[in-house]
């Protein structure tokens, strides 16, 4: 594996790990801790301050993940085109990524609205009480769902990425190649897949 490919995988994995872990910790830790503050008018400002500090790091993590994902897609394009099942999983992964980006972006928009609301009395970061203004309560109810949607989608991305890593093993690659043997696959594409499989074989043997 080339150094460039190793860097791309590291960007992909570390960025996704921070995206998933940060969203889960925020929902459980930041929001949960803010709800325990005695002064109900300080719960929302404290949670908003915590999320605001995390936002630049989260944006960098997402950027690293996307850069790594695009780079991997380019370097693995022969396998995506030739090996059965890889293209389908790439499509699923892309759909999950787009969904996670959309939910993350909308969650941040709601978070900015809550931050601008100041310090209205609330039950928790995502739970209004009877004194909470209607517009704030509406944002909170949406955030209550979205705070779990982000880790769910990014967690699914982790699972899909792990499965796609299994598809890169020599056995599945050769089975896919043999399955395409009679479908008119060009010799140039076959050569690329064989070369990739041969490059991975020594690493697989070394790990035994």
């Amino acid at each position: 594996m080339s150094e460039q490919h190793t860097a791309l995988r590291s960007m992909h994995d570390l960025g996704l790990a921070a995206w998933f872990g940060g969203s889960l910790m925020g929902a459980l830790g930041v929001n949960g801790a803010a709800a325990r503050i005695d002064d109900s008018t300080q719960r929302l400002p404290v949670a908003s301050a915590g999320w605001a500090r995390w936002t630049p790091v989260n944006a960098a993590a997402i950027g690293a993940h996307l850069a790594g994902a695009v780079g991997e897609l380019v370097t693995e394009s022969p396998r995506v085109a030739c090996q059965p099942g890889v293209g389908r999983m790439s499509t699923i992964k892309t759909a999950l990524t787009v969904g996670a980006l959309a939910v993350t972006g909308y969650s941040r928009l709601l978070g900015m609205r809550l931050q601008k609301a100041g310090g209205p009395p609330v039950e928790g970061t995502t739970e209004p009480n009877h004194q909470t203004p209607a517009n704030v309560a509406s944002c909170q109810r949406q955030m209550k769902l979205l705070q779990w949607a982000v880790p769910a989608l990014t967690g699914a991305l982790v699972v899909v990425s792990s499965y796609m890593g299994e598809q890169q093993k020599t056995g599945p690659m050769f089975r896919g190649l043999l399955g395409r043997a009679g479908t008119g696959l060009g010799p140039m594409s076959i050569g690329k897949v064989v070369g990739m499989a041969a490059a991975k074989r020594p690493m697989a043997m070394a790990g035994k």
Side-chain angles (χ1 to χ4, degrees):
M1 184 185 300
S2 68
E3 291 184 2
Q4 182 183 10
H5 204 177
T6 301
L8 291 173
R9 289 194 177 207
S10 298
M11 293 169 64
H12 173 281
D13 293 347
L14 289 174
L16 181 56
W19 193 3
F20 168 73
S23 63
L24 186 61
M25 189 285 298
L28 290 171
V30 175
N31 292 350
R36 298 177 65 88
I37 296 175
D38 292 333
D39 187 348
S40 64
T41 63
Q42 291 300 308
R43 293 168 186 165
L44 202 54
V46 169
S48 295
W51 281 108
R53 289 178 64 87
W54 171 247
T55 295
V57 179
N58 194 45
I62 293 173
H65 169 69
L66 294 177
V70 172
E72 281 194 334
L73 182 61
V74 172
T75 57
E76 296 286 347
S77 56
R79 236 176 25 88
V80 174
C82 301
Q83 185 179 343
V86 177
R88 181 174 64 254
M89 294 307 299
S90 295
T91 300
I92 293 173
K93 183 177 178 180
T94 299
L96 286 171
T97 301
V98 171
L101 285 170
V103 173
T104 300
Y106 188 60
S107 296
R108 182 53 190 156
L109 178 62
L110 291 176
M112 292 173 64
R113 291 176 181 174
L114 292 175
Q115 188 174 7
K116 293 178 180 178
V122 295
E123 188 68 25
T125 306
T126 59
E127 297 82 21
N129 62 23
H130 65 283
Q131 295 179 304
T132 307
N135 62 324
V136 175
S138 176
C139 290
Q140 286 184 292
R141 293 188 185 98
Q142 294 179 70
M143 285 290 289
K144 189 170 185 177
L145 298 176
L146 295 179
Q147 68 176 344
W148 302 114
V150 177
L153 288 168
T154 51
L157 272 172
V158 173
V159 175
V160 170
S161 297
S162 298
Y163 180 81
M164 293 182 72
E166 291 296 308
Q167 289 180 313
Q168 292 182 333
K169 290 184 176 180
T170 305
M173 289 178 68
F174 272 115
R175 284 195 296 271
L177 179 61
L178 292 174
R180 287 291 186 92
T183 63
L185 189 65
M188 182 65 71
S189 297
I190 292 176
K192 288 182 179 179
V193 176
V194 171
M196 292 169 64
K200 294 176 185 293
R201 182 64 177 173
M203 291 187 293
M205 295 297 294
K208 293 183 178 180

